[in-house]
Structure formats: structure tokens, C-alpha cells
Amino acid sequence: MSQTLEGKRELLLKLRHESELGGGEVRISKQHEQGKYTARERIERLVDPGTFLEFDRFVISKTASISKDQHFLGDGVVTGIAAINGQKVALYSQDFTCVGGSLGAAHAKKICKIMDFALENRIPVIGMNDSGGARIQEGVEALAGYGEIFYRNVKCSGVIPQISLIMGPCAGGAVYSPALTDFVFMVEGTSYMFVTGPDVIKTVTHEDVSKETLGGAHTHSETSGVAQFRVASEDECFERVRELLSYIPNANFTKPTPKYTSDTIYRDNLKIKETVPANPKKPYDMKEIIFDVVDDAQFLEVHKDYAKNIIVGFASVGGIKIGIVANQPAVLAGVLDIASSEKAARFVRFCDAFDIPILTLVDVPGFLPGTVQEYGGIIKHGSKLLYAYSEATVPLISIITRKSYGGAYLVMASKHIKTDVNLAYPTGEIAVMGAEGAINIVYRHELEGLAGKAFDDKKSSLIAKYEEDFANPYRAAELGFLDAVILPEETRKRVYEYLVALKNKKQEKPKRKHGNIQL
Ligand code: HXC
């Protein structure tokens, strides 16, 4: 049948329009009623205006078992490339209005195509997940599709940044694709992730639990640590993703671009002159130091609500983008435990994979003692952080602000695991342990026979002597384990100068297939 040029153009426009309708007006309204945007609206709001170039909008499911009214153009996922902050990204956005955004063979193939494109062209990939999971009617073909995606998630890991936005259901094995990516965002109230849902749990363990409590945004950002970011709305989610992308490169081995700042590089950090208290038992907020040192007080905290005894996130100093790892003395005295070790280790590995220098701020009394930690495997989880720092070849700078005791001293970017520049404030204390604990062990016999005032006096004098001998940074400085002792107000300019000096750092590692990190 021959068609006029006009007719051919009209056909394309008609098909485009049809694909834009997804599962139809009724289902789109339902999506909106639930406080969710559609797949296309999400892309529009996330990317730079007018930059989205769609792939495969006319793909349909070829599975015979799908009823005709479920053959939607695009097969329930919108894929393509666009720009964010002027940088190219690849993305996919599952369309819940088409068969519940469920994943069949054609849907999976589209996602795989866009992931392959992202990998070959070294651009980040962003996935917006809103799906009923494996498309039941497509059986093993749907499962195979997930397998292909998981495989690519692993292949892309450490080569291009991968970001998952959870904007609806994400259940069963489907959770493993986001779990394999670098950053997971969850939207409060409308997103959930779990391996088995409340009904299965009820049958198997007789536990009663709601979807929200089991796998909502609060649960995964505070309790399980599966999600690095919890946001109040989809709009906030897009804003945070754009902010995150402004700190990270498009791919590994990519020359870092400077971050725009109008902040003066050589300003003194007068605000934090007295932030660290003289009394080692007094808590303080490490974030005060971070905010004053970095450009424009801009710090994008990752895993903000999880393992708050350690802080990780992105910032820049003099326009140089960095990752920050910092003990938080305001929470559990900044102790290292299972959750905080894992959180920091994963962050250090991300920064190392993508050539982002790391600034470590140390105030750590040690590892958290107790059966909960020992039975939970603090030995293996703590070793992950030690491994991550020791393996890192990016520029590493550390500042001991106050305590740095025992094994935690070594783990937290010490000179002995090849940190490039180790600094301390005059309040720094590097020792095997704190004064009280040390006295109780070393002078137990001397103290045993004493009581009352005699005991108190003796103990106080032993503590004073211990503090004089060990609770300072100078013994480590004498041995070259610290490169310099600096005043807090000198922090910003020092960090900037060291970052510039370390710009061309190259460190060779022995050839191997891969190391064997304690997983
Ligand atoms: C086919 C599906 C589907 C699925 C939803 N739909 N999930 N179709 N396969 N997995 C369809 C529905 O039939 C419906 O079609 C439309 O999507 C919207 O679904 P509703 O149920 O009406 O929506 P809602 O009430 O909001 O409930 C959403 C839901 C529920 C909670 C996600 O649909 C649900 O429980 N789905 C099944 C979830 C599941 O168990 N998936 C398998 C997980 S295991 P119509 O035509 O009416 O619009 C898995 C394994 C992965 O994914 C393995 C990887 C290794």
C-alpha cells in the first residue's frame, strides 16, 4: 500500500503519541493519585530540558501468552540517553502503567541495550524502578532478563557510576539489580524493596509486618543500609541525583572536572578554632569541621541516616572534588562498629574506583566492644575498612582531630596503610587506648591495695602522667607517622595545597586477578 509523504509522517507521529500514552489515561490517573509521576514525567524532570533521546520506543513483547491488550509500545520501560548538568547519562524508567512495569524479555533487552551503550561510551547509568517484578506470563524468559541485567550491573561496577531510584515496588530477586549499583535512592511513602513480601513472611514465619515497615524508605535508609539516600518526594529525588552527579565523574580513568566555587581558597577556618574540646570525653559535632573546611559549606552526605557514628559524603575544596570519611564523636563517641565499618568501606571503594581523593577526619576511641558485635562478625566487617583503605590508590589525606586509639588508629587512614599525608590537630591523641583503660591494665597491682582518697590520688596522677606521655600527637610526629601538626584554622588551605600536590599520584600494585576482600 503506497502512502503519501504526509501519510508516512503522520503514521510516525501517531505511533509516537501512542507510545507516550503508556498504559492509557486511566492507569496514568491512578499513578498520579498515588503521588507518583509516570515514567516519562520522571525523565523530563530529571534531565536537562530537551536533551532526552529515546531508544526502542516501538519495541513490544513477542510473548504469545501476553494478551493483546497488554501489548504496549515500549513494553513498559522508557530508555534512552540525555544530559544532566550538561553531562551525558543513559537511563531507563519503568512504566508501571504498562502491565505494572513488570519485566519481560523485550523490556529486559531494552534495559540491557542501554546499559551496554552506557558502558561502551563510559557514561553513568540511572535506573528508575517502579515494577511488579518478573512478568509472570513470561516465566523463565523474564527471569533470564533479570539475569542479563544483574550480569551487566557487575560488569559496569567500578567502570561507570550506576544509580538506582526506587519509585514504586521493587520485590523478589528484582532488588538485586539496585543492590549491585553504587547508590540507591528511595522515595518516602511510595517505594519499597524486599526479597519476600509481607504475605510470604506471614506464611513462613507467622510474623505480621506492613510493607512500609518491612521495606520502606525509612527501613532501608536507617536500619538495613540498603538505601544511601531517602527523599521526601520524587522531585527532591531528582534534585539530589543531579547534585550527586555534580561530584562524580562519568567513568573511571576520566580526568576530574573542577567544581565551580566562589569560596576563597586561602581563608582561615576561624569558626572551628575551638570546636574540638580539650576534654576528651566531651562530644562535639564533626560536621561543623566539615562544613567550614569545604567549599561554600556544601556537603552531600551519603547514608546520612545509617550508622551515624561515621560520616561519609562528597564535597570540594578549592574546586577539587573529594570524598570525606569522618568519625562522628557526637554519636556513640565515634566508635567503629559493624555498620559504620561497612558503610565507610563501601564509600572508600567507590571513591577509589572513580579516582576521587579522600579526606579522612579521625576521632575514634576504638572498635565497639560486646557480644553483639563479636557474634555479628566485627572482625570480618571491620577488616573491610582496613582492606578498602589499604587497597586505595587515590590521594589520601587524614587529620586526627582528637582520639585515635588502637586498631582503629591503624584502620582510619594511618600512615602505616599508605595514606599520603597524615596530619593532627594539637588535640590529637594517638595511643593504644584511652588513659582510664590503660591505667586499669598497666597499674592494676599498684592500685589494688589502695582505697578511698589514696586510690583516687594515685589514679589521677597515673592518668595525668599517661596523658602527658601518650595523649598528644608529638610522639607520632617524632616518628614521622604524622607529617605535620596543624592548627584547626589552617585546615582548608593545607588540605587544598596537599590535594594539588597529590594530583598526579601514581601508585603501582602487584599484578593480580583481584584481591579477596572479606565479604
Ligand atoms: C505480570 C503484573 C505483575 C507481574 C503486576 N502486574 N505485577 N503482571 N507480572 N509480576 C499487573 C497487574 O496484573 C495489573 O494489570 C497491573 O500490573 C497493575 O497491578 P495491580 O496489582 O493492579 O497494582 P497494585 O494494586 O498497585 O499492586 C502492585 C503490586 C502487585 C504490589 C506490585 O501487582 C503485585 O503484588 N504484583 C506481583 C508482584 C510479584 O510477586 N512479582 C514477582 C516478584 S518475584 P492490569 O492489566 O490490571 O493493569 C520476581 C522475581 C525476580 O520479580 C527474579 C529475579 C531473579
Side-chain angles (χ1 to χ4, degrees):
M1 188 177 78
S2 77
Q3 253 186 345
T4 60
L5 177 60
E6 193 56 27
K8 288 183 183 193
R9 288 171 58 88
E10 265 174 28
L11 175 63
L12 172 61
L13 296 179
K14 181 176 150 297
L15 287 171
R16 273 193 190 169
H17 178 67
E18 194 184 316
S19 71
E20 269 153 28
L21 280 178
E25 299 288 1
V26 175
R27 291 191 184 93
I28 290 176
S29 301
K30 197 173 163 199
Q31 181 88 348
H32 288 159
E33 278 159 26
Q34 290 174 345
K36 294 168 27 173
Y37 289 124
T38 64
R40 284 175 192 282
E41 288 166 346
R42 285 170 177 155
I43 293 173
E44 249 171 57
R45 281 165 169 77
L46 173 65
V47 307
D48 297 348
T51 61
F52 181 55
L53 304 176
E54 189 169 347
F55 286 14
D56 293 336
R57 68 193 298 163
F58 301 140
V59 161
I60 50 168
S61 170
K62 296 285 179 203
T63 308
S65 50
I66 294 266
S67 68
K68 205 151 174 25
D69 63 340
Q70 288 184 320
H71 275 161
F72 298 103
L73 288 183
D75 202 36
V77 64
V78 183
T79 61
I81 53 168
I84 295 180
N85 308 325
Q87 301 284 329
K88 282 276 177 275
V89 296
L91 28 88
Y92 71 86
S93 179
Q94 290 180 312
D95 186 349
F96 194 83
T97 69
C98 302
V99 209
S102 58
L103 182 140
H107 180 125
K109 227 167 150 183
K110 282 182 67 174
I111 295 177
C112 289
K113 189 199 257 190
I114 210 68
M115 292 177 80
D116 291 341
F117 186 96
L119 184 61
E120 272 171 28
N121 294 289
R122 298 295 193 267
I123 55 176
V125 65
I126 301 169
M128 290 179 244
N129 297 260
D130 187 1
S131 165
R135 189 173 298 155
I136 295 159
Q137 302 90 320
E138 298 204 31
V140 69
E141 282 191 83
L143 298 182
Y146 270 119
E148 296 283 340
I149 295 170
F150 299 164
Y151 178 79
R152 281 166 176 78
N153 285 133
V154 176
K155 202 166 156 191
C156 292
S157 184
V159 183
I160 51 170
Q162 301 181 80
I163 301 173
S164 301
L165 319 187
I166 314 299
M167 308 192 123
C170 186
V175 294
Y176 288 110
S177 175
L180 290 166
T181 65
D182 299 302
F183 299 102
V184 175
F185 287 73
M186 288 188 78
V187 182
E188 275 174 33
T190 49
S191 70
Y192 51 89
M193 298 175 80
F194 37 70
V195 174
T196 48
D199 295 341
V200 177
I201 291 181
K202 176 93 183 139
T203 315
V204 178
T205 69
H206 309 293
E207 241 179 313
D208 260 321
V209 62
S210 70
K211 266 193 321 207
E212 192 56 38
T213 310
L214 181 65
H218 280 269
T219 299
H220 286 310
S221 59
E222 289 169 21
T223 311
S224 73
V226 166
Q228 281 82 2
F229 295 94
R230 182 180 80 223
V231 287
S233 66
E234 294 193 11
D235 284 313
E236 191 196 334
C237 187
F238 304 139
E239 212 175 291
R240 286 285 91 75
V241 171
R242 285 195 293 266
E243 192 182 348
L244 172 63
L245 285 168
S246 75
Y247 287 106
I248 63 181
N250 271 2
N252 62 348
F253 305 121
T254 311
K255 214 172 149 32
T257 52
K259 189 158 170 64
Y260 171 78
T261 175
S262 56
D263 203 344
T264 326
I265 293 169
Y266 293 100
R267 65 177 161 79
D268 286 338
N269 298 110
L270 296 174
K271 268 196 223 160
I272 58 165
K273 229 173 136 180
E274 290 173 13
T275 295
V276 183
N279 177 354
K281 288 189 179 148
K282 212 169 155 201
Y284 64 96
D285 187 356
M286 187 66 96
K287 285 187 199 170
E288 279 180 24
I289 297 181
I290 295 174
F291 281 114
D292 196 45
V293 169
V294 302
D295 293 340
D296 308 298
Q298 297 282 320
F299 174 57
L300 177 64
E301 192 170 352
V302 176
H303 257 148
K304 188 177 177 183
D305 303 299
Y306 179 70
K308 294 181 185 174
N309 39 333
I310 206 153
I311 304 162
V312 301
F314 298 105
S316 65
V317 173
I320 303 173
K321 296 169 186 173
I322 58 168
I324 295 179
V325 178
N327 305 113
Q328 172 55 292
V331 179
L332 289 171
V335 75
L336 280 176
D337 57 3
I338 292 170
S340 60
S341 301
E342 281 197 318
K343 166 176 161 177
R346 187 151 169 81
F347 184 76
V348 167
R349 295 194 100 212
F350 177 84
C351 291
D352 188 47
F354 290 99
D355 283 328
I356 301 170
I358 302 168
L359 170 66
T360 304
L361 301 173
V362 185
D363 189 343
V364 63
F367 281 95
L368 184 63
T371 50
V372 173
Q373 290 292 308
E374 295 292 350
Y375 296 169
I378 181 66
I379 295 173
K380 62 184 180 187
H381 298 297
S383 80
K384 290 176 189 172
L385 186 53
L386 183 54
Y387 195 110
Y389 269 123
S390 302
E391 181 185 48
T393 56
V394 284
L396 299 172
I397 300 170
S398 86
I399 305 174
I400 297 172
T401 60
R402 195 170 56 179
K403 292 171 216 167
S404 191
Y405 295 160
Y409 155 68
L410 295 170
V411 170
M412 289 302 297
S414 66
K415 184 60 92 195
H416 321 288
I417 56 172
K418 304 293 168 273
T419 290
D420 301 292
V421 178
N422 295 75
L423 309 171
Y425 288 167
T427 40
E429 301 176 12
I430 304 167
V432 174
M433 61 179 73
E436 187 101 20
I439 299 309
N440 287 339
I441 294 170
V442 180
Y443 298 103
R444 193 173 45 210
H445 297 303
E446 279 179 51
L447 291 166
E448 254 167 16
L450 303 173
K453 188 169 176 323
F455 176 87
D456 291 344
D457 287 350
K458 180 74 183 165
K459 194 165 175 185
S460 303
S461 83
L462 288 171
I463 287 178
K465 175 87 177 83
Y466 182 90
E467 283 179 349
E468 198 187 314
D469 288 348
F470 296 103
N472 64 64
Y474 299 107
R475 196 172 263 219
E478 282 168 16
L479 294 164
F481 299 156
L482 288 175
D483 301 297
V485 181
I486 64 165
L487 294 167
E489 56 268 37
E490 297 166 339
T491 310
R492 178 174 165 82
K493 49 193 179 197
R494 288 276 190 154
V495 169
Y496 174 75
E497 288 297 343
Y498 291 125
L499 285 170
V500 173
L502 290 165
K503 217 169 62 182
N504 297 322
K505 177 182 174 185
K506 267 224 150 20
Q507 199 182 68
E508 297 299 326
K509 293 275 173 185
K511 196 165 179 264
R512 61 181 168 190
K513 192 167 174 194
H514 58 71
N516 192 13
I517 190 167
Q518 177 66 266
L519 294 173

